[in-house]
Amino acid sequence: MADNGSILVTGAAGKLGAVGRTVTGLLLDRGLRVRAMVRREDDRAASLRAAGAEVVVGDLLEPADVYRVVSGCRRVYFGMSVSAGYLEASVTMAAVTREIGVDALVNMSQMTVSQMSIQNTTPSPQQRQHWLSEQAFAWSGLPVVTIRPTVFLEGFFLPLTGSSVRDRGRIELPFGRGKTNPVSTADVARVVAAVLAEPSSNLGPHLGRIYELTGARSQDIYEIAREYSDALNREITYSDIPPEDWERELKRAGLPEHLTHHLVTMAALNRAGRYDRMTDGVERLTGRPAMSVREFVSHHADEFGGRRA
Ligand SMILES: NC(=O)c1ccc[n+]([C@@H]2O[C@H](COP(=O)([O-])OP(=O)(O)OC[C@H]3O[C@@H](n4cnc5c(N)ncnc54)[C@H](OP(=O)(O)O)[C@@H]3O)[C@@H](O)[C@H]2O)c1
């Protein structure tokens, strides 16, 4: 396919990790034509348009919308919020892109899928749906590139430790002594953009590949708390709270059941050491090492209550 068609980015408005939003900006910076799919017209849509994207409104659960937004695009980034309809949206995207034809589909997944099989799943409905979505994309025969990041700094650590660090100087999570190696979505987006921006002549080696992405260092939350302390120049401690208390808090905050179930599973997997991961995917694909927790917290110091002078 020609190199001059548009690249479709779904989930482009961005809510938690905002991978789609960051990918949109990176592709526009490279002078590429981007069609940014959003769910509704709002300020985020307006700023995407102001940045130079062609903004299209649609629902990833509506096949006719997906057909309309994919038509005329040569490549696709597919990602959306953790939600109960994820598998349906994935299969809809597979059916539509098969019908229309694209030269690459970059599919957002999760690194836990690397540990899953028919005999060995997890209780998270999101992880099960990613596992099944990957199967469906594989059966489709589409030119798929699979992105499997571990837990996000922006999409997990910022929203779920920000207020306790701000208010009490504590990371409160039920992660035991399990190690984890969170990745920044800024790095994940750089990987996605690097693949989507490849000229057709260089795309081949990416197709069918799975890119597992972690941050810079696998460490337990006591060590992560030290990185927060260094970044904020004040003592941040880790409080290993009971899983039931955390689940109650998530429910009290009104999180959807699908997301709560997913987060509770993540915590259990963390306690079991299943997030103790290390890959060089970010550096290999982008030429730059992954962001450390300390760097991330420094960049977002205000959201964590500020850095002491
Ligand atoms: N959070 C983590 O730690 C983590 C780790 C590894 C992998 N992942 C994966 O990363 C993905 C999430 O990425 P992200 O954090 O960048 O997403 P995000 O910032 O939450 O953005 C996703 C966007 O999808 C849009 N969306 C949701 N449902 C839609 C629908 N039916 N039709 C059209 N658009 C829809 C949302 O629109 P609105 O904003 O308008 O609602 C939102 O802007 C998921 O696949 C997740 O499993 C997450």
Side-chain angles (χ1 to χ4, degrees):
M1 243 174 240
D3 274 342
N4 57 3
S6 284
I7 301 174
L8 173 66
V9 176
T10 70
K15 195 184 248 171
L16 279 176
V19 173
R21 185 171 195 88
T22 312
V23 168
T24 301
L26 292 169
L27 295 175
L28 290 170
D29 288 348
R30 292 178 190 231
L32 295 163
R33 278 167 42 195
V34 183
R35 182 177 290 173
M37 182 186 186
V38 298
R39 245 208 290 215
R40 64 186 76 91
E41 278 293 350
D42 59 14
D43 291 353
R44 299 172 303 171
S47 77
L48 286 164
R49 199 172 281 117
E54 176 200 0
V55 176
V56 289
V57 178
D59 185 344
L60 286 163
L61 292 166
E62 279 299 329
D65 286 6
V66 179
Y67 190 88
R68 172 174 50 82
V69 302
V70 172
S71 295
C73 290
R74 62 191 170 101
R75 292 183 188 168
V76 176
Y77 163 70
F78 172 68
M80 71 179 220
S81 318
V82 170
S83 52
Y86 213 99
L87 178 59
E88 186 179 340
S90 303
V91 177
T92 303
M93 180 56 78
V96 168
T97 44
R98 275 193 89 205
E99 173 82 17
I100 291 173
V102 291
D103 70 357
L105 189 150
V106 178
N107 175 40
M108 174 56 68
S109 185
Q110 292 198 359
M111 199 164 160
T112 300
V113 173
S114 301
Q115 306 167 346
M116 293 168 77
S117 65
I118 289 171
Q119 306 294 350
N120 189 7
T121 66
T122 79
S124 157
Q126 183 70 20
Q127 289 167 346
R128 286 171 176 241
Q129 292 197 23
H130 275 303
W131 185 77
L132 286 167
S133 297
E134 285 198 22
Q135 307 279 315
F137 279 124
W139 302 329
S140 73
L142 283 160
V144 175
V145 183
T146 305
I147 308 293
R148 287 186 186 161
T150 191
V151 60
F152 289 164
L153 283 162
E154 288 86 342
F156 184 95
F157 279 85
L158 184 53
L160 293 172
T161 70
S163 64
S164 67
V165 167
R166 232 174 11 243
D167 300 342
R168 296 181 287 286
R170 284 205 300 263
I171 296 175
E172 297 168 349
L173 287 174
F175 278 17
R177 295 210 74 111
K179 290 185 175 181
T180 184
N181 189 356
V183 65
S184 166
T185 55
D187 287 333
V188 175
R190 286 193 305 113
V191 169
V192 172
V195 174
L196 288 171
E198 284 283 25
S200 297
S201 51
N202 293 346
L203 192 60
H206 294 290
L207 303 180
R209 298 292 295 273
I210 295 169
Y211 294 125
E212 295 178 324
L213 307 176
T214 69
R217 208 171 141 216
S218 187
Q219 52 195 341
D220 65 25
I221 309 292
Y222 294 99
E223 292 167 295
I224 285 189
R226 276 200 287 279
E227 293 217 40
Y228 276 55
S229 304
D230 290 345
L232 300 174
N233 197 31
R234 56 192 164 91
E235 193 185 14
I236 307 298
T237 57
Y238 169 40
S239 177
D240 182 16
I241 59 175
E244 312 74 45
D245 291 0
W246 195 59
E247 183 170 355
R248 208 172 307 116
E249 272 311 306
L250 298 175
K251 286 183 175 153
R252 195 175 301 148
L255 265 57
E257 197 184 329
H258 176 94
L259 180 55
T260 302
H261 200 165
H262 172 59
L263 293 171
V264 167
T265 303
M266 283 180 72
L269 294 176
N270 264 279
R271 288 196 299 282
R274 296 263 301 270
Y275 275 77
D276 182 6
R277 305 161 168 170
M278 184 75 212
T279 70
D280 64 354
V282 170
E283 185 157 8
R284 210 158 22 89
L285 273 289
T286 69
R288 254 170 46 200
M291 194 184 294
S292 69
V293 172
R294 182 183 168 160
E295 284 173 287
F296 176 80
V297 176
S298 295
H299 288 321
H300 293 268
D302 288 348
E303 291 151 274
F304 287 105
R307 178 180 158 82
R308 197 175 59 188

